Amino acid sequence: MVFVQVCVGSSCHIKGSQDIVELLERAVEEHRIEDEVVLSGSFCIGKCNRVGVTVQVNDDVHVGITKENFREFFQTYILAPIQNERN
């Protein structure tokens, strides 16, 4: 199980956290991993960045997530670990 928390605090909200939430929901559905991912919102994770949104995946905090780098982030930190668990 992968736990994903998207910061929805004021700074990340302004930088597009709603867009990242929507991208996550679509990607999880597209890859049919709904039973393996828990998505939630979180107020400030404490790692604000000048660009992008902060997302915590399990215990790892990732900063600067944008619509432009979302696919790489999702593939590397969410999809690949799930696929590795299956093998």
Side-chain angles (χ1 to χ4, degrees):
M1 188 68 65
V2 175
F3 295 89
V4 181
Q5 292 184 40
V6 179
C7 180
V8 294
S10 56
S11 178
C12 285
H13 175 74
I14 290 169
K15 296 175 193 158
S17 61
Q18 183 59 40
D19 293 332
I20 300 304
V21 168
E22 289 171 10
L23 287 169
L24 276 165
E25 289 173 337
R26 276 189 249 140
V28 166
E29 185 177 313
E30 175 185 318
H31 292 280
R32 298 181 179 163
I33 55 174
E34 295 94 334
D35 294 339
E36 299 171 84
V37 176
V38 175
L39 297 177
S40 65
S42 173
F43 286 103
C44 190
I45 295 173
K47 300 284 185 183
C48 297
N49 193 22
R50 291 179 163 249
V51 175
V53 176
T54 301
V55 179
Q56 184 169 339
V57 179
N58 294 327
D59 294 328
D60 299 321
V61 176
H62 305 275
V63 297
I65 308 306
T66 64
K67 290 189 290 186
E68 292 75 24
N69 67 18
F70 173 80
R71 283 276 172 213
E72 181 180 353
F73 163 77
F74 182 80
Q75 175 64 40
T76 303
Y77 298 106
I78 298 173
L79 192 56
I82 288 173
Q83 291 172 336
N84 288 339
E85 269 187 30
R86 289 178 181 168
N87 296 331

